[in-house]
Amino acid sequence: MEIYWYLIIAIILAVFFVLDGYDFGVGIIHLFLAKKEKDKKVISKSAGLFWDSNEVWLVAAGGMLFMAFPTFYAAVFSGFYLPLIIVLWLIIFRAIGLEFRNKFNYQMWTAIWDKAFGVSSLLLALFFGIALGNIVRGVNLGGVENGLSIYEKHYFFLPLWNSSFSPLSENPGVIDWFTIIIGLISVITLSIHGAAWIILKTNSSINHKLKSVIFKLNIILLILTIFSLIIWQNINPNSFNNFIDKPYLIVFPLLYFTGIIGLFFSKKITKDIYRFLFSTSIILGGITSSLASLFPVILPTTNNVNESLTIYNTAASKYGLSVALTWGIIGIILIIVYAIVQKRFMAGKIDGMDYGH
Amino acid sequence: MEDMLFYDRMQFAFTITFHYIFPQLTMGLSLLIVYFKWKFLRSNIEKYNYAAKFLMKIFAVNFTMGVITGIPMEFQFGTNWAKFSELTGGIIGQTLAMEGLFSFFLESSFLVLFIFGEKLLGQKLHFLAGFLVFLGSWASGLFIIATNAWMQHPVGYEILDNGKFVLENFSSLFKNPWLLPAFLHNQMASLVTSSFVVASIGAFYILRNKNIEYGKLFLKTGVIFGFIASVLVAFPTGDWNAKNVVKYQPSSFAAMEGIFHSEKGGAEIILIGQPNMIEKKLDNKIAVPNILSFLTYQNWNTEIAGMDQFKKEELPNNIPMLYYSYHIMVGLGTIFIGVMTLSIFFLYRKKIYHIKSLLWFIMFLVPFPYIANLLGWYVAELGRQPYLVYGLLKTSEGISPTVSSGNTLFTLLGFMGLYFLLGVLFLILIGKTINDGPEPKKI
Ligand code: HDD
Ligand code: HEM
Ligand code: HEM
C-alpha cells in the first residue's frame, strides 16, 4: 500500500516539474536572453497562461504527502524550515511577477515585474535542485551530537549552511558544495526545458538563438552530471546498489541520458515537439533515478544512531491509505480529463491569443 | 517554549486571516457569475453576459490571491505544526488531499477555459465551465471545513499507544455533526460578502454616473442576494451552529456569550458589555433576561452553564477577544439584515436608485461582511482553545519541536512585509478592474 502512494506522489511531483518546470526555465531565459519588449511579453505570456493550473500539481502532491506519509511531512517541513519558507516567498514573488506584469503598460512597472519573475524563477530552480541534493545526501536525523539524539529520532533541523560548506561534515547545512552542484544541474535542466517550450509555443525572434543555447547548456549539463555522480559515490558508497540489485531500474538513468544525447542534435531537430520531449525525459529521468537509488528510503540519515526515514516507517495507517486509494484513483482520472480538455482548447502557438484578464 | 507557541500561533492567525479574505469572496461570487450567465442563456441579453465576464475578472484576481496565500497555509501544517501533522496527518490529511485533488484542479482548469475560451467553447459549454468553477470552489470550502470540523469535534478516529491518531472510519469525517451547519453558515456568509461587493460596485457606478445600466443591475442583484443570504446566515444556520457549540464545546459557549456565572431560572442575552477578567463580570452591561435560554433550548428557564462551571485549564485562553468577536459578528449580522430589508423595500418601490444616502451607505458597507467573516472564524478558532484537536490534543503539544522562536519571528515578519505588498497590489488591480467597467473597450 505504501508503495502505491509512493508511486502516485512521485508521479504527481514529476508531472509538476515537467509542467511547471518550463515556467521556471522560461523565467530564466526571460531574465538573460529576452531583450525586445515584444519577445518579453510573449515569453512571459507563455508561462503566465498556465502557471496556476500547473501549480495545483504541487499543492496536490503536498496534500497527498501529508495524508500518506505524515511523519515524513512533519519531519521534513520543520527540518527544512527556512529554505521552505524562502521557497514559498519566491513562489509568491514569481506569481506576482507573472500576474501583474501585463496589467499596466508603464515601462518601469513591467521592468520591475520582469525582474521579479526572472530572478525568482532562477532562485527557485536552484533551490529545487538543492532540495534534491539534500535528499540524496541525507541529514543528521535526530540531531545527533556525540552519539546522542537531541530530538525525537525522526526530527532534525538544518541550518542554511555551516562554516565548512562540506557535504561530509557531521552536521551538513542545506547549502554545501554538493547540493549547489545539484542546484546548478537543476537550473540548467529547467533552462533547457524552458527554452524548448518557448520554441514550441511562440514565434519569438530569439527562437533561433535558443536552439544553440540549448546545445551549449547541454554540454555543461553532461559534465556536471558526471562530476556529481562521482562525488555522490564518495559521500554515500551504497548509492548505486539498488541498480545492481534490480537491474531493470536502469531505465531511469537511461531516460536521463537519452534526453541529453537527443539534445546534442538540438540545432538539427525539425519538429519542435521532439526537443521538448527530450528535455522532459531529462527531468523525468533525473527525478526517477534519484528516487530509485534511494528506495525505499526517502530521507537517508548521516549518522549511525538513527535509522533513515523510509516509506514504511513514516506512512499513515493501512486503512487510511486504502480508502484514500479509492478516492485518489477517481480524482486522478478526473484530473487527466481536465488536463486533456484544457490543453485541447489551448493548443497551438499563443502569440495571437488575446490575453490579459 | 512559551514564545515559540506564541509566534507560531501569530503566524498562523496572520496568514489564515489574510488567506480567508479571498476565498470568502470567490466562493460567493462564483454563484453570482453562474446566475448571470444563466440569465444570459435564458434571455440572450448581452448585458448579462458582460456582467458575468466582468465579475469573473474580479474573481480571477481574487482566485490568484487565494492560490498565492493558500500554499503557505498548507506548508505551515508541516513547518510550524509538525507534531500536530505527525499525529493527525493520517486523518486531516485525507480531507486536505481531497481538497487538492477534487476542487483545486476543477476550479483552476475551468477558470482558464471560462476566461479565454468563450469563442472556442460556445455559450452552453461556457456556462458549464462557469458552473464547474462554482462547484470547485464550494467543494474546496466543504473539504477545508470538514478538516476544521474534525479539529472542533473529532470523530471516526482511534488513538494508538504512541499518541498517533489513525482513521477508523472514513465516512464519519463527512457525517460529522459539526460539518453541515458550519459549511452552510460559512457559505451563506461568503454569499453575504460577495453580494455586498456586487451591490457596492453597483452603487459606485450609479453614484459616479458611469456604466449606469450595469450599476442598476449589480445593485439590484446584490441587494436581492444580499437580503436572502443575510437572513440565512442568522437563521437557521447561525442558530444551528450556536446549538452545536453549546452541545459540544459548552465552555467556549459560556465564554463567547460572556456568561461568567450560571444563573438559575434562565440565562440573559448580552447585548453590550466589556468582560472584566479580574472581577469575573461584565462591565457596563445591557442584557435582556431569559432570551438566551429560549434561543438555545426553546425554553425560557433552562440553565446555561457559565464559566464558573469549568476548570480554568479548559476555558479558552483569550476570553475577551472571543467574546468581542462573537458579539461583533452577531451585531453586524443583525445590522446587515436591517440594511438589506430596507434596501429591498426601496427596490420594490423602485426608489432605491435615487436615494443617494442609501447608495453611499451600501457602497461603504463593503468592509463589514469581511470583518464579520473573519471574526466568525476567530470565534471558532479561539473557542477551540486551549485544544488544537478539541478535548484531545493541546495546542501547545502541536508545534514543531525543532523550530526555534527566532526563526518563526523572522518568517512572521517576512510574511507581514510580503503580504503588505500583495495587499497594495491587489487593491490597485481591483480598482483598475472596477474602473474599466464591464463594457468591452471600443478600439
Ligand atoms: C458575514 C459573516 C457572518 C455573519 C453576519 C454571521 N456569521 Fe456566524 N460565522 C461566520 C460568519 C458570519 C463564519 C466566518 O463563516 C463562521 C466561522 C466558522 C464557520 O463555520 O462560520 C461563523 C461561525 C459561527 C458560529 C460557530 C462558532 C464556533 O465554531 O465556535 C456561531 C455559533 C455563529 N457563527 C453564529 C452566528 C449567529 C447567531 C449570527 C447571527 C446573525 C451570525 N453567526 C452571523
Ligand atoms: C478563515 C478562516 C480561519 C481563520 C480566520 C482562522 C483563524 C485562526 C486564528 C486566529 C488562530 C490562532 C488561534 C489562537 O490565537 O490561539 C488559528 C489557529 C489555527 N487554525 Fe485557524 N482559522 C481559520 C480557518 C482554519 C481552518 C479551516 C483550519 C483547518 C484546516 C484552521 C486551523 C488552524 C490551526 C492548525 C491553528 C493553529 C493552532 C491553534 O492556535 O489553535 N484554521 N486560526
Ligand atoms: C488552514 C486552512 C487552509 C489551508 C491549508 C488552505 C489551503 C489552500 C491552498 C493551498 C489554496 C490554493 C489552491 C490552488 O492552488 O488552487 C487555497 C485556495 C482556496 N482556499 Fe484555502 N486554505 C485554508 C483555509 C481556507 C478556508 C477557511 C476556506 C473557506 C472556507 C478556503 C477556501 C479556499 C478556496 C475556495 C480556494 C480557491 C482559491 C480561491 O477561490 O480563492 N481555504 N487554500
Side-chain angles (χ1 to χ4, degrees), chain B residues 178 182 185-186 189 233-234 238 241-242 245 256 329-330 333 369 372-373 376-377 379-380:
Chain B
W178 196 281
H185 186 60
N186 188 67
V233 154
N241 265 307
V245 180
M256 71 199 212
M329 167 177 74
V330 176
N373 261 302
W377 275 102
V379 178

Side-chain angles (χ1 to χ4, degrees), chain B residues 197-216:
Chain B
V197 166
V198 170
S200 154
I201 298 176
F204 171 70
Y205 285 156
I206 296 174
L207 286 171
R208 262 195 68 187
N209 218 347
K210 200 184 144 185
N211 304 317
I212 291 287
E213 196 189 355
Y214 292 96
K216 288 186 173 169

Side-chain angles (χ1 to χ4, degrees), chain B residues 103-399:
Chain B
S103 25
F104 294 152
F105 276 102
L106 189 63
E107 214 179 344
S108 63
S109 314
F110 289 97
L111 178 61
V112 176
L113 278 181
F114 188 93
I115 291 178
F116 301 110
E118 191 183 0
K119 288 199 202 86
L120 298 165
L121 290 168
Q123 289 306 333
K124 286 227 172 73
L125 286 178
H126 194 231
F127 169 79
L128 185 66
F131 182 76
L132 291 174
V133 171
F134 157 73
L135 203 66
S137 74
W138 280 51
S140 157
L142 179 70
F143 288 122
I144 202 83
I145 287 176
T147 313
N148 190 266
W150 187 83
M151 294 166 60
Q152 302 283 356
H153 178 62
V155 289
Y157 64 91
E158 200 185 335
I159 303 182
L160 303 182
D161 295 338
N162 57 8
K164 278 198 183 149
F165 291 66
V166 292
L167 188 62
E168 205 204 24
N169 183 340
F170 174 72
S171 63
S172 61
L173 292 180
F174 294 93
K175 290 189 203 126
N176 189 341
W178 196 281
L179 172 59
L180 190 63
F183 176 64
L184 293 178
H185 186 60
N186 188 67
Q187 298 314 94
M188 285 310 116
S190 91
L191 193 56
V192 170
T193 301
S194 47
S195 322
F196 279 39
V197 166
V198 170
S200 154
I201 298 176
F204 171 70
Y205 285 156
I206 296 174
L207 286 171
R208 262 195 68 187
N209 218 347
K210 200 184 144 185
N211 304 317
I212 291 287
E213 196 189 355
Y214 292 96
K216 288 186 173 169
L217 178 63
F218 287 153
L219 184 70
K220 183 173 150 201
T221 316
V223 164
I224 293 174
F225 274 87
F227 174 72
I228 299 172
S230 301
V231 172
L232 291 178
V233 154
F235 198 84
T237 64
D239 176 52
W240 194 4
N241 265 307
K243 288 186 174 131
N244 257 345
V245 180
V246 188
K247 194 160 157 199
Y248 300 112
Q249 301 184 347
S251 60
S252 88
F253 189 75
M256 71 199 212
E257 294 282 1
I259 317 171
F260 281 94
H261 308 283
S262 317
E263 308 252 333
K264 291 265 173 303
E268 54 192 14
I269 195 158
I270 315 278
L271 302 180
I272 294 180
Q274 293 80 30
N276 180 334
M277 296 313 292
I278 297 167
E279 292 175 31
K280 301 266 183 293
K281 69 176 191 55
L282 284 172
D283 295 336
N284 314 318
K285 179 170 81 174
I286 300 183
V288 190
N290 295 41
I291 299 280
L292 188 61
S293 291
F294 180 74
L295 286 178
T296 4
Y297 292 111
Q298 277 71 49
N299 179 342
W300 298 100
N301 300 320
T302 313
E303 186 181 319
I304 291 182
M307 285 180 260
D308 53 355
Q309 308 264 326
F310 302 94
K311 288 204 232 58
K312 190 165 179 296
E313 308 84 70
E314 276 174 27
L315 281 176
N317 36 24
N318 193 344
I319 293 167
M321 184 67 196
L322 175 58
Y323 166 89
Y324 287 127
S325 302
Y326 185 65
H327 281 81
I328 296 174
M329 167 177 74
V330 176
L332 285 175
T334 317
I335 295 173
F336 295 161
I337 297 179
V339 177
M340 284 295 132
T341 310
L342 198 69
S343 312
I344 282 278
F345 173 74
F346 286 117
L347 185 70
Y348 180 71
R349 305 274 304 271
K350 303 221 160 34
K351 279 199 193 136
I352 190 165
Y353 308 117
H354 310 293
I355 309 178
K356 282 258 163 63
S357 52
L358 186 58
L359 293 179
W360 278 100
F361 192 69
I362 292 179
M363 190 168 95
F364 283 117
L365 206 55
V366 135
F368 293 97
Y370 284 96
I371 294 173
N373 261 302
L374 293 171
L375 290 182
W377 275 102
Y378 279 37
V379 178
E381 302 292 297
L382 292 168
R384 174 165 50 75
Q385 303 301 324
Y387 293 105
L388 190 43
V389 179
Y390 196 75
L392 300 174
L393 182 72
K394 286 263 165 73
T395 307
S396 55
E397 296 162 343
I399 55 177

